[in-house]
Amino acid sequence: QVQLVESGGGLVQPGGSLRLSCATSGFTFSSNAMSWYRQAPGKEREFVAVIGSAAHMTNYADSVKGRFTISRDNVKNTVYLQMNSLKPEDTAVYYCYKHGAGGSWGQGTQVTVSS
């Protein structure tokens, strides 16, 4: 079955960096666009970034544009989110999402930006 497993979250100071990974299995990874979303306490889940199946297309929420970079490795079946210049408002649980039929979510990884 489809599995999405996020990792790489943690506690980081403002201005710091983290790299999230989402390892996948159970579907043809190279055929699906993938996204990252996040959900802060008391708020709705929001879009962060998307990458097309062949990585030719990427798009970002305005709030992270210029600071975050989404990428993918179609050999390792993994999607990444490089997060730089982190701000306290980036604190959230980050989820990866598989597009296409039977869209699926991972379990999430906590990112906390605090001094």
Side-chain angles (χ1 to χ4, degrees):
Q1 72 275 26
V2 174
Q3 288 194 321
L4 308 173
V5 180
E6 300 96 334
S7 61
L11 173 64
V12 63
Q13 292 187 343
S17 297
L18 282 175
R19 188 195 195 203
L20 306 184
S21 299
C22 175
T24 74
S25 61
F27 66 100
T28 306
F29 180 75
S30 59
S31 297
N32 290 83
M34 299 292 297
S35 285
W36 286 96
Y37 283 75
R38 66 186 182 186
Q39 187 166 18
K43 295 187 176 182
E44 293 189 353
R45 193 170 298 188
E46 65 175 4
F47 166 78
V48 174
V50 61
I51 186 166
S53 58
H56 296 314
M57 179 279 292
T58 58
N59 196 20
Y60 299 90
D62 287 343
S63 59
V64 307
K65 208 168 287 186
R67 300 187 298 122
F68 290 10
T69 302
I70 189 171
S71 61
R72 65 189 295 156
D73 185 330
N74 284 354
V75 174
K76 294 183 178 179
N77 294 340
T78 301
V79 60
Y80 304 97
L81 186 69
Q82 178 67 43
M83 306 186 295
N84 299 329
S85 302
L86 282 161
K87 305 175 181 180
E89 51 264 44
D90 294 318
T91 295
V93 178
Y94 283 71
Y95 300 89
C96 65
Y97 175 73
K98 163 193 166 295
H99 291 261
S104 299
W105 296 93
Q107 84 290 346
T109 185
Q110 176 70 47
V111 171
T112 302
V113 184
S114 175
S115 55

